[in-house]
């Protein structure tokens, strides 16, 4: 399989009740940096946060057509994002210091990953670990 340097094609999109506050929190807790932010005052119409070569998109929860499709923050339904990190212990310390609710402590998985699971202040579940599959490499 040829190696690729194309941009990612998957961009998780989240809605938050207080997206402006969560942008700061995601930077503090996980190390995201703001790539783009559009809106007025505390209302974030669209933001892009970068983590390495990956990007998540987020905005303030609204009663628009998309908001009706995805529901309200913290309403359940299997929402979870996995973030591949170089050092799970350092990521855990950072997330815990920022106030993430730890749902599963640091664990060494049988497939070689060291990871933990936490919840952000608005209810989204995040897993951070050293398992890092690459699209241009065969699965093991």
């Amino acid at each position: 399989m040829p190696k690729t340097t194309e941009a990612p094609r998957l961009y998780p999109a989240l809605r938050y009740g207080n997206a402006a506050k969560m942008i700061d929190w995601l930077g503090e807790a996980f190390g995201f940096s703001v790539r783009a932010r559009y809106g007025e005052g505390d209302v974030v119409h669209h933001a892009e946060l970068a983590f390495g070569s990956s990007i998540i998109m987020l905005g303030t929860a609204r009663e628009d057509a998309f908001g009706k499709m995805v529901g309200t923050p913290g309403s359940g339904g299997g929402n979870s994002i996995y973030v591949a990190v170089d050092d799970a212990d350092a990521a855990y310390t950072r997330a815990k210091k920022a106030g993430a609710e730890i749902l599963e402590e640091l664990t060494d998985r049988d497939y070689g990953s060291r990871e933990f699971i936490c919840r952000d202040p608005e209810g989204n579940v995040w897993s951070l670990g050293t398992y890092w599959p690459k699209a241009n490499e065969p699965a093991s």
Side-chain angles (χ1 to χ4, degrees), residues 111 131 137-140:
Y111 50 87
Y131 178 69
E137 296 175 0
S140 54

Side-chain angles (χ1 to χ4, degrees), residues 16-18 21-26 28-30 73-74 95 98-101 118-126:
Y16 283 105
N18 189 339
K21 181 178 177 182
M22 288 307 300
I23 287 169
D24 294 337
W25 189 88
L26 290 165
E28 180 184 346
F30 302 143
E101 176 189 356
C118 63
R119 187 184 320 272
D120 71 30
E122 291 204 19
N124 291 301
V125 175
W126 297 79

Side-chain angles (χ1 to χ4, degrees), residues 40-115:
E40 300 169 16
D42 286 339
V43 176
V44 178
H45 297 294
H46 175 80
E48 297 170 6
L49 305 184
F51 187 91
S53 62
S54 299
I55 294 171
I56 62 169
M57 296 186 284
L58 63 91
T60 301
R62 308 185 283 288
E63 285 294 321
D64 58 7
F66 185 67
K68 290 175 184 171
M69 284 182 251
V70 299
T72 58
S75 61
N79 302 320
S80 175
I81 296 178
Y82 178 85
V83 179
V85 297
D86 293 323
D87 183 341
D89 293 80
Y92 173 87
T93 299
R94 182 177 188 154
K96 193 166 184 174
K97 182 178 178 187
E101 176 189 356
I102 304 300
L103 302 175
E104 182 176 89
E105 295 289 334
L106 280 164
T107 303
D108 293 317
R109 302 285 187 202
D110 57 1
Y111 50 87
S113 184
R114 180 158 176 78
E115 56 196 44

